[in-house]
Amino acid sequence: MSEIPTKEDELAGTEQPFVQHLMELRDRLVKALIAIGVVAGILFFYPGPGALYDLLAAPLVAHLPKGATLIATSVISPFMVPLKILLMSAFLVALPVVLWQVWAFVAPGLYSHEKKLVLPLVVSSTLLFLVGVAFCYFFVFGQVFAFIQSFAPKSITAAPDIEAYLSFVLTMFLAFGLSFEVPIVVIVLARMGIVSVEKLKGFRGYFIVLAFIIAAVVTPPDVVSQLALAVPMCLLYELGIWAAQIFIRHTKSPEDEQAQEPT
């Protein structure tokens, strides 16, 4: 009987000393920070920290009473808050470069079938997070602020604090950005074999209840914003189940493929 040729280890020749790994990690972090710094420098001169804050505050200002503006209750707030928004914007704009550095550091240690799984997940998770943030800014904020102002008594002049507004915006961005990651969580759980696709389908009813509970906790107490968070989460859960089946089929390891071959 002739010997069946064994596959050469896909990682053969890629081992590096521990110190070299640390040096490469340092270089990747430096490149990511440089990218963020360059973007921050560009945004500082155009459109500028103040203009970025005005852009972020536009959904609220549009629903304030005529002549009302945001206020700063701290001496350094007019400087620190726009600066924080500048850094946040720079990170979001430079995010593709940051993720590329992460991918370049991790990829040499992965098998080919693992690369087929990780790279699409990195790209799709980034896009989904940004879509969640955009959905919150362009749709949810307008509905929330209109609802809040409709309940304000006429004897009260709304003048929100800029630091409180920044905290609210970041919380909402994080909530919607993470909620749009539901398909990624579903795909990872199914691909790693932690939960089967059949069990995920059976958990559908419980997830709907969970989505509405999360929406009630993290959003303001109005029906529109709660539905705006819960309904996309339910739809994205279904999308995750559908995508998980495709990922499982196209990212099998060589061992799994050999196990499924008829003997």
Side-chain angles (χ1 to χ4, degrees):
M1 291 180 64
S2 60
E3 276 192 15
I4 300 176
T6 58
K7 267 192 173 183
E8 186 182 355
D9 187 357
E10 297 178 57
L11 294 181
T14 62
E15 297 83 358
Q16 296 180 359
F18 179 71
V19 175
Q20 192 169 349
H21 280 297
L22 290 180
M23 292 176 63
E24 183 182 359
L25 177 60
R26 179 202 61 190
D27 293 340
R28 298 293 179 187
L29 288 174
V30 169
K31 290 178 181 178
L33 291 174
I34 290 175
I36 296 173
V38 169
V39 174
I42 295 173
L43 293 178
F44 181 84
F45 291 101
Y46 183 82
L52 288 174
Y53 187 86
D54 290 340
L55 181 64
L56 189 65
L60 175 60
V61 173
H63 293 88
L64 288 177
K66 188 175 180 180
T69 60
L70 281 75
I71 63 172
T73 57
S74 173
V75 175
I76 62 172
S77 292
F79 170 76
M80 291 302 300
V81 172
L83 185 61
K84 291 177 182 178
I85 294 174
L86 173 69
L87 294 176
M88 180 187 71
S89 303
F91 176 77
L92 290 177
V93 174
L95 191 57
V97 178
V98 175
L99 292 177
W100 173 257
Q101 296 303 323
V102 174
W103 170 250
F105 177 73
V106 174
L110 300 176
Y111 291 103
S112 60
H113 67 276
E114 292 172 333
K115 293 179 182 179
K116 292 179 183 178
L117 174 66
V118 175
L119 184 57
L121 289 182
V122 170
V123 175
S124 58
S125 62
T126 304
L127 293 177
L128 284 172
F129 186 86
L130 295 177
V131 169
V133 170
F135 178 73
C136 180
Y137 178 83
F138 289 105
F139 175 74
V140 178
F141 279 174
Q143 305 300 322
V144 170
F145 298 145
F147 173 82
I148 293 174
Q149 292 303 318
S150 67
F151 274 80
K154 293 183 179 179
S155 58
I156 295 178
T157 301
D161 177 60
I162 60 174
E163 287 195 33
Y165 178 69
L166 176 61
S167 176
F168 172 80
V169 166
L170 293 180
T171 301
M172 291 290 286
F173 279 172
L174 191 61
F176 276 84
L178 292 179
S179 68
F180 272 60
E181 299 292 330
V182 167
I184 307 301
V185 176
V186 172
I187 291 172
V188 171
L189 289 176
R191 181 61 186 84
M192 294 180 65
I194 298 175
V195 182
S196 65
V197 174
E198 289 71 25
K199 288 185 178 180
L200 289 169
K201 292 179 179 178
F203 189 71
R204 183 182 288 120
Y206 298 100
F207 183 82
I208 293 175
V209 176
L210 180 62
F212 277 89
I213 292 175
I214 293 174
V217 172
V218 301
T219 62
D222 67 287
V223 177
V224 175
S225 61
Q226 292 177 6
L227 289 175
L229 181 61
V231 172
M233 285 181 68
C234 297
L235 296 176
L236 290 168
Y237 184 80
E238 295 297 327
L239 176 64
I241 293 176
W242 172 77
Q245 301 175 69
I246 298 177
F247 267 82
I248 291 173
R249 186 163 59 247
H250 292 284
T251 59
K252 292 177 181 177
S253 65
E255 292 79 9
D256 293 336
E257 292 177 352
Q258 288 178 1
Q260 290 184 354
E261 288 180 359
T263 54

